[in-house]
Structure formats: structure tokens, C-alpha cells
Amino acid sequence: MLNDDKLIIGGHEFQSRFILGSGKYSMKLIESAIRDAGAEIITLAVRRANTKEQENILDYIPEGVTLLPNTSGARNAEEAVRIARLARELGCGNFVKIEIMRDTKYLLPDNQETIKATEILAREGFVVMPYMYPDLNAARDMVNAGAATIMPLASPIGSNKGLATRDFIQILIDEIDLPIIVDAGIGRPSQACEAMEMGAAAIMANTALATAGDLPLMASAFRQAIEAGRKAYLSGLGRVLTRGAAASDPLTGFLRD
Amino acid sequence: MENQFFVDSEFLSPAALEKKHRLETDPSSRTNHMEYMPGMEVIESDICSKVMSQMDNYDYTIYTARDVRAALDHDVCTIEDFKALLSPAAEPFLEEMAQRAQRETGKHFGNTVYLFTPLYIANYCENYCVYCGFNCYNHINRMKLSMEQIEHEMKVIADSGMEEILILTGESRAQSDVQYIGEACRLARKYFRMVGLEIYPVNTDEYRYLHECGADYVTVFQETYDTDKYESLHLLGHKRIWPYRFDAQERALRGGMRGVAFSALLGLSDFRRDALASALHVFYLQRKYPHAEMSLSCPRLRPIINNDKISPMDVGEKQLCQVICAYRIFLPFVGITVSSRESASFRNGIVKIAATKVSAGVSTGIGDHESKYSGKETDGVKGDEQFEIDDGRSLDTMYQDMADEGLQPVLNDYVYV
């Protein structure tokens, strides 16, 4: 069953539901993290790629892995659009993750500017993956603007606090027809598993791995947790009893027809 | 024992010596350091009063081990918590503070460490700041690089692999005007991915001009937030005007700069109060300009040419480490720079805890990169250094050393937008 279960983003098919962030750890670990996490998509900050550095991250990305350049550093739609175009010029392909922050402390995304950037970049043929604060109205606007997925945050980026926005992400999963990829704040495999059980299409994580003692081991733990959560979701989770036991004699048993 | 800052040069004329001595000994001969000079822009801002009221009321002797433990237990570090972490009561908790600081650094920066180098393009100065090697009464080789010389220096630095540069001048508007600095920024954008400035404070429209020329980051050290002490150390010149300097970062942001950097020069005055004020300067400005990138430096006093006795006084490495850890815990999102004033061993240690940026291939002199980088003597005239550095590692050595510490050295994390 899982073999036919593909993640489809902008017409591209992926087997893996783990998107790896690359911003916070050593390049030499990236290759093993990709292997052990089974990731097929890896994000790349354009501001980090735009370098003459001896060690360019592109050298460490294996064949067959899709690059997802992000627009970190952009403070409004205009800047995000410029960074996305630069990414395309640098040969990073058509995928772009829009990140627009007007706050350097929490790095919370600006939904309004993100909607604007989504519209422009989708029109230019990008596969647009907007990182956003989980708000249903904003998500709908992003869908209408041409987004390929919606990427709501679970909690503030880097915080490892897990699904602080759980109920609002659930609303997006229930109401939006695009894949919902939970991004930012996932600190442990169990949290990734929970998001997948809820019906998230994929998980993106970076800090959780970067700050782990053994990065490749943590990467494989995430891989297994995401697969477990996906299987649970596909199998249909069992009934959850929130209070007491189920009455064996139904309350409505007296009804005659 | 206090630092002995006053050094007379045999090259000064009798009149100059007399003026120098009068400035040093007779406070009434000095101008009002709180009064703006003609041409200095005054902006409406409440940041200074917020910072200063906190600093004025800070009595670090009242904090106890219990306050420090509570501060370390809190998820979010409040101003009160930060005050406890800066207090002497926190000294026995240095290891705990370092561990907490390391976790915070990891969350926001992972294991990256950014490398940059300063480029001094002129050392003329119109100020008499008694602790500084560039001060106008200090007998040193003065120099201002021409655009050709600047470009040569930049090529040498860029060839070493460096991608971020910080352009510095002595504080002389007459010798190094805004236009000159702007032209240097334009040149720098040809060779570097990121250009920062550390020059005398200027008005908003001048920051805007420099931003258009390619500078995106402005560093201004307040030196000390203790205005009375400041008055007694900055005896002459534009730099003497304390409030104009305080508002420099805010003017820079209003002028369109993307980021600003702050610092007190630890050792000039009470370092705990100065550290408090530096961090609160960042804290309040960040609340007002949430999009701006902010960073803190943590320099300590160093010996200078003609005065090798200047020392950081009571700010030992442990105290410096305490300040840096407290900064990190209070402001987890802020960049922290540790310069080559500190030793290689200190810098190797602190980047694993809290620092996110270190300089490499450093010269604080003028026009001497080729000889310093290649080891061969060059013909050109050179200008003397601002202060003695401690850590003289080249970019290559620093890059390798950082990697050996398990960190990821980063040469560029910037894209001009």
C-alpha cells in the first residue's frame, strides 16, 4: 500500500515524506542525513548558496534529490520574489519555499506578504511552497494564488516545541485540498508522528536534527516516525474515548423506528 | 588600580601639550558632552530613557544564588532574570549558564560560525579618547588609503577567500568624509557579498547614502553607557557627544540599513552595568524595529601604541564569559561577535557556547594586508594600528580550526535584496 502512496507536489512525485532543512549543520553531515532520513527534498537558503565558499552545499546534495531553495532573508514579497529568481538563476530549479519574516526575534512568517509573493511566483512558473502561520483564510488565499502546498508552522522555528498550533493545522488538513506540510518547531520524532497521524502530508525539520547528539541516528528515527504516522493515518485511527467507557447499552435503545 | 591612560608625546607643540593637559585635568575646560553640536541630527526616540532608567536602577549586589537559579529555570529570560545572570551571584553558575547558552545558540544558529575581516581605510582622528591608539594626541603613523589602495587591499583580502568585510575609519569627518566612505563601499560590493561599516556616527540621510553605496550593516560602539565616565574618557571632538552616539543605530535603521551592532568597551567603567545597558539597547530597539538584524560585540580594553599598560581591569575571561552567556540567554536570536582582541583559546571555547561570529586575518593597521597576508615586506607606507590584537589567525587557519571544533564555518549568509 505504501508503495503507491506518493507525495505529489506541483505534479512531482515523491516517495519520502520527510523534507530536510539544511541551514544549521555541517555540510559533511548532510549526505548521511539525507541517506538516513530517506529525504528526497532538501531545503537550501539562497543567501547561503550564493557564495564562493570552499564547501558549497550543492556539492553535498546527491543526485536525484530535489532542491527546495528558500527565501530566508526576505522581509516582504518583493524581496522574496527577487531571491526566488536568483535561486532559479543559480540553477536551483523551479521549486521555491517562500519565507518572509518581518521579525528577527521569532522569525514568524508574514502571511499577507507571503500571499502576494505566492501569486507572483506561481505566475512565473515556480512550484510555490509557502511557509505560513496556520490561518485558514490565509491558506485559502495562498491556494487561490497558485500555491503547490501549504506549509504551516507547528511552533516557532528552532524551538523544538512541537505541535503548539495543532488544532489550527488540523483545520488546514481538513479544509485545504493541497498537501499540508508541517514545517518548523517539530522537535522530536513523536511529534512528527503525531502530525502525520493527523493527516499532514509531510514533515520538514532541521533544528531537531541539527541539535541531536547523533545526527544520522536522529534522521533515521524521524524517518521511521513519519512512516509510522503515515501508516496510522492511512489505516484510519481507532476510536478515541475521551470520557469514561462506551455504554454497552445504548442510550438511544428505546427508540422504536 | 586604575588604568593610566595619559601619555605625552615629545612631538606635540607646547601649545598642544598645554591644551591636552588642561583637558585632562580641568573638567571645566571641556564642552558639555550631552549637548549636540551643530549639524548633528536629533531624533525623537524613547529608547535612551528606557535603557538608562534600567541601568540607573541596577544594583547587582542585591541578587542572590536563588535569583540566578530562578533565572536559569525560566523558559523566557526576563530583564530581571538577565540582571541576576549579570550579577556577581551568578559567577558560581558559570558552567550552568554556559550549558543553557549553548542550547539557545543551537536552536537559533545551529553549529554555524560566521567569519569576517575588518579593513581599516584611514586612521586620522579628531577625537581625544584617552584609551584609543588613534586618538589625536597619540603620535602614530597616520594614513588614509586612496581608492586604488583600498581596491588593492580588498583584492588581497578577497583572494584569501573572505566574503564579508567590515570597513573602518578613524573618526575624522574632515579626512574621511561620507563621500569617501561611500566610494569605498561601492568598491567593496565588487569584491564581497556583505559590507558592514564601523565609522563615526552620521545623520539618517548619510546612512541612507551609505546604504545606497552598498553598506548594509552599521556597528557603533557606545564604549560606556555611564555618561559621567564617558565624559572623563572622551575629552575632545565629535565623539564626546554621548547622546548623538547613542541614537546612531536607530538613525542607521531609519536610513535603511538592514542590521546594526552594539557594544560597550568592557573595562572602561562598571562592566556589569555596561553589559546590561548594551543588551537593553538591543532589546528595546528590536521591539521598535522588529525586522532589523541585531548583534552584540564584547570587546575588552587592549594595549595601544605608546601605552602598553592599558588592560581590561576587572573583566577577566570568566567575567567576559559570564557576560556573553547572559547576553545569549537573554537575547537568543542576536548575533554575538568576539574579536581578535581575545586569545585563540578563548575564541575557540566561546564559539562552542555563544559566539556566532569571529574575525580572521585581522589587521587593525592601514594598508598592510599584503605584507601581513603574504609575509613579504611591501614598499608602501603603512598606518599604525588602533590596538594590539591577540588572535592573529589567518582565514584558512581559522576556517580549519572552527571545523576542527565541530562547527560549520560560514563565509556568507547574506543576499542583498
Side-chain angles (χ1 to χ4, degrees):
Chain A
M1 178 184 65
L2 278 177
N3 284 339
D4 306 327
D5 177 41
K6 301 268 197 317
L7 170 65
I8 299 171
I9 302 172
H12 300 258
E13 288 188 358
F14 302 94
Q15 193 71 42
S16 161
R17 291 177 179 272
F18 188 16
I19 298 177
L20 196 62
S22 68
K24 287 179 176 165
Y25 43 82
S26 154
M27 313 227 178
K28 294 196 172 74
L29 289 172
I30 284 178
E31 227 175 317
S32 69
I34 290 173
R35 188 181 62 239
D36 293 304
E40 292 169 326
I41 304 176
I42 183 160
T43 67
L44 171 68
V46 175
R47 60 182 184 171
R48 283 284 298 284
N50 186 28
T51 181
K52 302 175 285 188
E53 234 166 286
Q54 296 97 309
E55 289 195 331
N56 194 307
I57 187 169
L58 296 170
D59 301 336
Y60 289 85
I61 311 290
E63 283 285 309
V65 169
T66 299
L67 268 184
L68 176 55
N70 70 43
T71 64
S72 74
R75 291 164 300 186
N76 54 45
E78 195 190 338
E79 292 179 354
V81 167
R82 256 183 273 162
I83 296 173
R85 289 173 184 157
L86 177 63
R88 190 142 69 178
E89 284 167 28
L90 287 171
C92 295
N94 270 343
F95 281 71
V96 65
K97 179 185 167 202
I98 302 179
E99 290 184 12
I100 300 175
M101 282 92 160
R102 282 192 302 166
D103 177 282
T104 55
K105 186 171 183 181
Y106 301 102
L107 300 176
L108 290 175
D110 181 323
N111 282 353
Q112 279 183 310
E113 290 294 309
T114 303
I115 294 164
K116 286 187 216 162
T118 301
E119 189 169 2
I120 297 167
L121 292 171
R123 223 185 297 133
E124 294 183 11
F126 282 92
V127 177
V128 183
M129 301 174 66
Y131 169 56
M132 55 101 66
Y133 190 85
D135 172 86
L136 179 59
N137 293 309
R140 284 183 172 140
D141 288 345
M142 289 172 199
V143 173
N144 293 334
T149 65
I150 300 293
M151 302 184 78
L153 61 87
S155 53
I157 192 164
S159 70
N160 283 355
K161 283 189 171 169
L163 288 162
T165 57
R166 185 184 200 286
D167 293 355
F168 303 96
I169 288 179
Q170 187 68 63
I171 290 171
L172 298 189
I173 290 169
D174 294 344
E175 302 302 326
I176 300 289
D177 292 331
L178 294 175
I180 303 297
I181 300 176
V182 176
D183 180 8
I186 295 292
R188 308 167 196 219
S190 56
Q191 294 160 352
C193 185
E194 185 183 358
M196 294 304 293
E197 286 173 5
M198 285 163 55
I203 301 294
M204 160 145 184
N206 179 7
T207 314
L209 284 86
T211 56
D214 183 332
L215 195 150
L217 192 58
M218 185 59 95
S220 79
F222 263 91
R223 173 190 203 152
Q224 289 173 330
I226 288 165
E227 284 174 6
R230 182 67 185 171
K231 283 180 191 170
Y233 171 74
L234 291 175
S235 66
L237 286 172
R239 190 162 56 123
V240 178
L241 301 176
T242 52
R243 194 185 301 159
S248 49
D249 290 330
L251 292 173
T252 50
F254 64 94
L255 299 171
R256 292 188 183 188
D257 51 26
Chain B
M1 203 184 80
E2 289 260 321
N3 269 312
Q4 298 303 310
F5 290 120
F6 302 148
V7 175
D8 284 344
S9 159
E10 57 189 291
F11 298 93
L12 290 175
S13 69
L17 262 182
E18 194 204 327
K19 183 173 182 188
K20 177 174 180 287
H21 291 158
R22 200 166 54 232
L23 287 168
E24 288 164 357
T25 53
D26 177 9
S28 71
S29 70
R30 311 196 286 250
T31 59
N32 181 355
H33 62 295
M34 301 303 280
E35 197 174 293
Y36 286 74
M37 292 165 79
M40 288 182 173
E41 178 189 2
V42 184
I43 58 168
E44 283 294 317
S45 177
D46 56 355
I47 302 292
C48 186
S49 62
K50 284 179 173 169
V51 171
M52 295 310 280
S53 71
Q54 290 282 358
M55 190 184 85
D56 290 343
N57 294 318
Y58 181 39
D59 175 4
Y60 48 74
T61 63
I62 64 170
Y63 295 90
T64 64
R66 201 172 146 171
D67 299 319
V68 178
R69 270 192 218 102
L72 287 169
D73 282 344
H74 292 162
D75 272 354
V76 174
C77 180
T78 64
I79 293 175
E80 269 313 292
D81 291 336
F82 178 53
K83 288 177 177 171
L85 295 176
L86 281 176
S87 75
E91 283 186 2
F93 295 86
L94 193 54
E95 184 57 32
E96 283 99 319
M97 284 176 68
Q99 288 179 15
R100 168 75 184 268
Q102 185 186 47
R103 285 198 298 278
E104 299 294 346
T105 308
K107 281 193 222 166
H108 287 263
F109 298 91
N111 63 359
T112 52
V113 57
Y114 301 93
L115 306 181
F116 78 106
T117 206
L119 171 61
Y120 286 74
I121 58 172
N123 63 2
Y124 286 95
C125 194
E126 291 155 8
N127 300 288
Y128 181 25
C129 310
V130 299
Y131 54 85
C132 178
F134 287 171
N135 87 65
C136 64
Y137 288 119
N138 201 24
H139 184 73
I140 59 168
N141 289 323
R142 301 282 172 176
M143 191 177 181
K144 172 191 174 186
L145 298 179
S146 67
M147 284 305 141
E148 292 71 35
Q149 289 169 316
I150 291 175
E151 185 153 16
H152 179 71
E153 291 277 289
M154 288 176 175
K155 276 183 188 156
V156 172
I157 294 170
D159 284 348
S160 78
M162 198 62 84
E163 297 190 21
E164 172 171 345
I165 199 162
L166 176 66
I167 296 175
L168 297 96
T169 61
E171 300 205 4
S172 169
R173 254 185 196 272
Q175 289 287 344
S176 322
D177 61 17
V178 172
Q179 194 95 30
Y180 168 72
I181 296 167
E183 290 306 313
C185 292
R186 286 190 208 280
L187 273 180
R189 284 291 289 129
K190 278 168 60 182
Y191 295 96
F192 301 96
R193 305 266 175 187
M194 154 74 182
V195 179
L197 278 181
E198 188 172 340
I199 59 163
Y200 50 87
V202 299
N203 291 345
T204 304
D205 58 338
E206 294 169 314
Y207 280 125
R208 186 168 299 117
Y209 165 76
L210 292 168
H211 178 62
E212 285 160 9
C213 291
D216 222 3
Y217 218 99
V218 167
T219 299
V220 180
F221 288 0
Q222 190 63 28
E223 317 299 10
T224 176
Y225 288 81
D226 174 345
T227 54
D228 291 342
K229 190 74 187 178
Y230 187 94
E231 184 279 330
S232 73
L233 298 167
H234 305 86
L235 303 180
L236 184 72
H238 285 79
K239 188 167 170 181
R240 185 165 164 77
I241 312 306
W242 186 91
Y244 182 68
R245 198 169 187 87
F246 186 97
D247 284 332
Q249 283 90 350
E250 189 162 1
R251 292 194 302 274
L253 291 174
R254 290 184 185 189
M257 292 289 174
R258 176 133 119 191
V260 281
F262 304 74
S263 181
L265 181 51
L266 303 176
L268 285 180
S269 184
D270 184 325
F271 76 90
R272 297 181 202 277
R273 291 161 65 84
D274 268 337
L276 176 75
S278 306
L280 288 176
H281 198 171
V282 174
F283 177 82
Y284 288 119
L285 216 50
Q286 197 277 336
R287 289 174 85 86
K288 193 167 174 183
Y289 302 89
H291 61 277
E293 292 182 16
M294 307 261 171
S295 71
L296 272 164
S297 299
C298 328
R300 296 190 295 164
L301 271 178
R302 292 285 302 162
I304 60 174
I305 291 180
N306 302 324
N307 191 345
D308 59 5
K309 300 206 167 51
I310 296 179
S311 78
M313 303 296 293
D314 57 344
V315 194
E317 288 198 348
K318 276 191 182 153
Q319 285 74 29
L320 181 59
C321 182
Q322 182 189 354
V323 166
I324 294 172
C325 289
Y327 281 166
R328 173 56 69 222
I329 296 167
F330 180 53
L331 301 167
F333 57 95
V334 156
I336 295 182
T337 305
V338 176
S339 81
S340 58
R341 294 165 187 262
E342 302 303 332
S343 68
S345 64
F346 183 86
R347 297 217 289 172
N348 286 351
I350 204 71
V351 289
K352 285 189 281 192
I353 300 172
T356 51
K357 197 167 185 177
V358 290
S359 49
V362 174
S363 164
T364 70
I366 320 295
D368 59 3
H369 274 94
E370 187 166 14
S371 59
K372 280 193 175 151
Y373 279 28
S374 66
K376 65 173 189 236
E377 273 309 307
T378 48
D379 305 334
V381 187
K382 298 175 190 71
D384 280 336
E385 288 97 347
Q386 187 182 23
F387 55 86
E388 284 180 20
I389 65 167
D390 189 321
D391 185 356
R393 280 179 284 180
S394 67
L395 171 61
D396 281 347
T397 309
M398 184 64 87
Y399 196 98
Q400 195 51 50
D401 286 358
M402 292 295 110
D404 290 346
E405 298 287 345
L407 297 164
Q408 184 189 355
V410 174
L411 296 173
N412 176 52
D413 185 34
Y414 221 68
V415 53
Y416 275 79
V417 282

